[in-house]
Amino acid sequence: MANYEEVFKKVVAHAKEYGFIFQSSELYDGLAAVYDYGPNGSELKNNIRNYWWKSMVNMNENIVGLDSSIFMHPTTWKASGHVDAFNDPLIDNKDSKKRYRADVLIEDYVAKIEGKIEKEVKKAIKRFGDSFDKEQFVGTNPRVLGYKSKCMSIMQRFSEAMAANKLDDVKTLIKELGIVCPVSGTKNWTDVRQFNLMFKTQMGSTADGASDLYLRPETAQGIFVNFLNVQKTARMKIPFGIAQTGKAFRNEIVARQFIFRMREFEQMEMQFFVRPGKEMKWYEHWKDSRMKWHLSLGIDKELFRFHDHDNLAHYANAACDIEFKFPFGFKELEGIHSRTDFDLKSHQKHSGRKVQYFDPEINESYIPYVVETSIGLDRMFLTILSNSYKEEKVNGENRLVLSIPALLAPVKAAVLPLTKKDGLPEKAREILSLLQCDFLCQYEEKDSIGKRYRRQDAIGTPYCITVDHQSLEDNTVTVRDRDTMAQERVAIDRLYTLVSKKVDFRNYL
Ligand code: ATP
């Protein structure tokens, strides 16, 4: 399907129709950029989280887990820099009254120019055929070079203006580029202002002198303030990592891309503590390891790319994103950041307590450096969902299938008696009880078998197990594979092994 916007609309509608994702508080017309996960969605989300956790914690003997709280002492956020610097530059269009992130307006403008480069490349591939050398073409073609230099100069002007906090210059840039509001089509912009993204709340009753708290905007700080607790109790030696998954909250200015940008979302983060000076080696290691993790799920590697940050955050000495080609373009899925000793040092300063590690190998105490990998669970969910949504023609009929990796599929097998009588339901329930302790299965007896297959395809169930009259005689069933649609006669006592093998974590290593 060529029209990405249309595909995206279909994915969103499918997510609702099949119980993956609902708008939060829909009964009250919804709450913007907040979503609920339905029966299939919560399963898929749990499976993605478990896959990440197992890959990080089970498969690395030097990584341990943590589950820290959402509320933290308010000084945490002063020390981390979030109170003073966790801002986005916002701008309003006076005609449409719509609010935008100034950086996103500029980045989208640049992405359009990059799109032109891609078009030139495609044209050249057609022209030169097999003899085409992409690298040489983008390095020498005058039109492409012109586009590239335009992109670079825009991003440089933007970075410099942000670094110097010159918000007027950001507005001037938007005006000079002629960026218009997508809704009103006008250039009637307000000034650019900084907006803090943290949600504030209060703990205790006001009479007692309640203290202001924040809902955590990232899970990382829970790891930093527990660094010594974990290191000592789990007897960890540097280099080691702490992994955690959990909710984070950001009062996003613009939140219009379904679960890509939410105000309440979930992160899967791992902070890896290393000896100062070793961080670049580990940064490269985790870049490589995380890309492999994404590719392990069988997604086309052309849909991923690294994007180095031009604009480093106050705490980082190197940073990049793993971007995924969502239906609305390449966007950040995961961040890999070399955070130096910024956070631990700052917590040491603000708490007045030593946050140091004694390294027996070199007989020295120091504040470790940190390399983090940080991925949004909801964005990973959207990656899996949008990548697996497929419309196919089978024997002249439309088939809609979610080709979700079997390990992540919400339901692993559906058990389907061919008819509702002759003892077939009882036989089917026997099979269900063989499988259900280890695999989430569905029992379905309503509608024709074809319709039931289609329903299971639409939620991505890898196997449909059909019980028929022959099953009563020879204890075999028909197993239909979601992807090949091939049907095979299988002995009931082989089913458990068959499903186990299909969803085995080892297939993904
Ligand atoms: P963006 O530039 O898209 O706002 P970010 O650079 O602020 O993202 P990080 O602070 O690096 O994001 O957060 C780590 C990860 O958390 C991101 O890669 C993303 O997957 C996820 N994430 C961040 N903000 C959101 C959000 N509002 N909704 C869903 N996921 C998010």
Side-chain angles (χ1 to χ4, degrees):
M1 275 173 284
N3 186 336
Y4 295 122
E5 247 171 60
E6 210 158 279
V7 177
F8 188 46
K9 270 193 200 149
K10 285 185 180 181
V11 170
V12 174
H14 189 83
K16 180 173 179 198
E17 187 180 347
Y18 286 91
F20 283 89
I21 297 170
F22 309 124
Q23 174 78 62
S24 160
S25 323
E26 197 189 72
L27 200 59
Y28 295 98
D29 294 334
L31 187 64
V34 187
Y35 292 91
D36 298 338
Y37 287 80
N40 288 319
S42 51
E43 291 295 336
L44 175 55
K45 196 175 174 200
N46 283 343
N47 294 342
I48 297 173
R49 192 192 296 106
N50 286 341
Y51 182 54
W52 181 88
W53 187 268
K54 254 183 137 167
S55 310
M56 281 295 180
V57 179
N58 295 38
M59 302 309 290
N60 290 287
E61 47 188 282
N62 58 359
I63 297 183
V64 288
L66 179 75
D67 182 6
S68 71
S69 50
I70 287 171
F71 288 142
M72 297 184 70
H73 192 284
T75 311
T76 310
W77 306 110
K78 187 77 192 151
S80 67
H82 283 83
V83 172
D84 298 317
F86 194 53
N87 301 319
D88 275 341
L90 70 83
I91 188 165
D92 295 276
N93 182 272
K94 291 182 196 163
D95 300 319
S96 65
K97 309 269 183 273
K98 289 274 176 206
R99 180 159 285 180
Y100 299 91
R101 264 172 65 174
D103 54 334
V104 173
L105 286 180
I106 293 168
E107 280 163 14
D108 284 351
Y109 183 88
V110 167
K112 272 193 196 136
I113 306 178
E114 284 170 348
K116 287 184 185 168
I117 298 179
E118 271 191 35
K119 264 193 195 149
E120 292 292 332
V121 170
K122 274 192 191 142
K123 269 200 278 177
I125 292 175
K126 268 196 192 151
R127 212 177 326 136
F128 297 114
D130 286 346
S131 61
F132 181 67
D133 179 341
K134 185 175 171 189
E135 226 164 88
Q136 193 193 351
F137 178 77
V138 294
T140 53
N141 179 278
R143 200 172 286 171
V144 170
L145 290 178
Y147 287 144
K148 275 196 197 162
S149 109
K150 192 168 178 195
C151 292
M152 267 170 55
S153 91
I154 294 171
M155 287 318 289
Q156 193 174 342
R157 270 182 71 185
F158 173 64
S159 299
E160 281 170 10
M162 288 304 290
N165 202 19
K166 288 188 172 161
L167 299 179
D168 285 351
D169 290 0
V170 177
K171 181 176 177 183
T172 310
L173 183 60
I174 289 175
K175 289 210 128 177
E176 273 181 31
L177 295 175
I179 295 176
V180 297
C181 164
V183 177
S184 66
T186 71
K187 298 177 206 159
N188 195 5
W189 297 110
T190 62
D191 287 343
V192 178
R193 281 167 296 147
Q194 289 284 23
F195 175 76
N196 193 290
L197 300 182
M198 283 199 294
F199 282 101
K200 241 186 193 170
T201 185
Q202 287 185 331
M203 182 178 261
S205 70
T206 5
D208 291 336
S211 56
D212 282 343
L213 291 190
Y214 299 99
L215 297 186
R216 66 179 177 196
E218 62 175 28
T219 57
Q221 297 305 323
I223 293 180
F224 292 129
V225 300
N226 276 299
F227 165 71
L228 283 180
N229 284 337
V230 173
Q231 187 267 318
K232 290 195 170 133
T233 56
R235 298 187 297 120
M236 302 307 285
K237 286 205 170 66
I238 273 180
F240 76 92
I242 303 178
Q244 145 153 273
T245 70
K247 285 277 173 100
F249 304 83
R250 296 183 187 180
N251 198 0
E252 297 282 359
I253 299 169
V254 182
R256 293 190 194 123
Q257 274 156 334
F258 192 39
I259 55 168
F260 179 79
R261 191 173 298 288
M262 302 154 88
R263 296 200 165 101
E264 172 180 341
F265 59 100
E266 192 162 337
Q267 287 186 315
M268 306 191 286
E269 296 201 296
M270 193 280 297
Q271 317 289 322
F272 201 73
F273 299 91
V274 304
R275 195 183 288 166
K278 300 276 186 208
E279 70 275 14
M280 277 323 186
K281 180 187 127 198
W282 285 107
Y283 175 66
E284 292 304 328
H285 167 89
W286 283 111
K287 269 176 78 170
D288 185 52
S289 167
R290 292 304 301 149
M291 188 56 104
K292 282 194 181 129
W293 184 83
H294 288 285
L295 298 181
S296 73
L297 290 167
I299 304 174
D300 183 357
K301 73 174 190 312
E302 298 293 315
L303 298 177
F304 292 101
R305 70 179 188 195
F306 283 112
H307 176 253
D308 288 325
H309 285 200
D310 310 307
N311 220 347
L312 285 180
H314 57 279
Y315 51 74
N317 65 358
C320 71
D321 298 331
I322 292 178
E323 294 187 337
F324 177 72
K325 195 169 185 185
F326 289 99
F328 38 83
F330 270 107
K331 296 272 176 205
E332 171 175 347
L333 166 62
E334 168 157 15
I336 297 155
H337 311 127
S338 172
R339 290 179 81 126
T340 69
D341 58 354
F342 173 86
D343 301 88
L344 291 183
K345 203 172 178 177
S346 189
H347 287 305
Q348 173 168 290
K349 185 171 147 217
H350 283 81
S351 66
R353 309 242 173 96
K354 267 206 166 159
V355 186
Q356 299 206 352
Y357 170 79
F358 176 73
D359 190 331
E361 277 181 33
I362 53 170
N363 249 337
E364 252 180 52
S365 286
Y366 54 77
I367 299 177
Y369 271 44
V370 173
V371 175
E372 84 171 348
T373 70
S374 173
I375 175 168
L377 174 50
D378 313 88
R379 280 190 195 176
M380 191 60 206
F381 188 110
L382 187 56
T383 299
I384 297 291
L385 193 67
S386 56
N387 187 64
S388 61
Y389 180 90
K390 306 215 163 73
E391 287 177 14
E392 299 174 348
K393 270 255 181 289
V394 179
N395 302 331
E397 270 186 45
N398 284 338
R399 169 170 110 115
L400 215 159
V401 60
L402 290 189
S403 58
I404 302 175
L407 174 69
L408 304 182
V411 177
K412 306 303 187 201
V415 188
L416 317 170
L418 193 61
T419 63
K420 283 189 217 168
K421 48 185 197 304
D422 304 334
L424 298 189
E426 290 74 13
K427 192 75 182 167
R429 287 202 187 278
E430 268 174 39
I431 294 173
L432 186 68
S433 65
L434 278 179
L435 300 175
Q436 68 189 158
C437 287
D438 293 296
F439 314 108
L440 184 68
C441 296
Q442 272 185 3
Y443 172 88
E444 269 211 292
E445 55 180 29
K446 202 170 166 288
D447 295 326
S448 73
I449 206 77
K451 266 197 183 161
R452 283 181 268 169
Y453 284 164
R454 296 284 174 266
R455 272 204 298 270
Q456 294 299 329
D457 283 348
I459 62 168
T461 306
Y463 281 146
C464 284
I465 299 168
T466 305
V467 179
D468 56 17
H469 291 89
Q470 190 185 331
S471 310
L472 301 178
E473 286 161 23
D474 66 0
N475 271 325
T476 64
V477 286
T478 306
V479 176
R480 175 187 176 270
D481 183 288
R482 175 196 72 196
D483 300 320
T484 62
M485 287 180 284
Q487 302 192 15
E488 196 195 344
R489 202 77 204 173
V490 175
I492 291 174
D493 59 11
R494 269 192 56 220
L495 284 176
Y496 184 88
T497 314
L498 190 77
V499 180
S500 304
K501 280 198 174 148
K502 184 80 171 173
V503 303
D504 195 343
F505 178 76
R506 290 169 191 82
N507 299 341
Y508 297 84
L509 293 176

